[in-house]
Amino acid sequence: NLKGPLISKDKIEEINNLMIETSTNQAAFCQFLGVESVAKMPQNLHDKAVTALTKKLDGMEKSDAS
């Protein structure tokens, strides 16, 4: 569902920082979420985006520890 208000600048920054930390390709991630860009992401996708990036980060940290 791509309708509704867009995420705030703070949430855009949060997602961009997580993408940097996880070396996530922004274009591929936006395609995964079905949005044109992070800035045009509706609020209802914010949690899905953060959850996906956090899981990726957790996985990276576990592989670094082993």
Side-chain angles (χ1 to χ4, degrees):
N1 183 359
L2 299 178
K3 296 197 165 131
L6 301 180
I7 61 173
S8 66
K9 288 183 181 177
D10 287 346
K11 290 182 177 183
I12 293 169
E13 191 173 319
E14 173 191 22
I15 291 169
N16 283 335
N17 287 339
L18 280 167
M19 284 195 293
I20 291 166
E21 284 183 61
T22 57
S23 302
T24 298
N25 178 294
Q26 184 171 347
F29 189 66
C30 288
Q31 186 175 15
F32 162 74
L33 292 171
V35 296
E36 190 176 319
S37 68
V38 173
K40 293 184 178 180
M41 183 184 301
Q43 289 177 2
N44 64 352
L45 284 180
H46 172 263
D47 288 349
K48 179 179 180 180
V50 171
T51 299
L53 290 167
T54 303
K55 281 184 180 175
K56 182 175 180 181
L57 185 60
D58 288 347
M60 291 170 71
E61 289 171 353
K62 284 179 186 159
S63 66
D64 286 347
S66 55

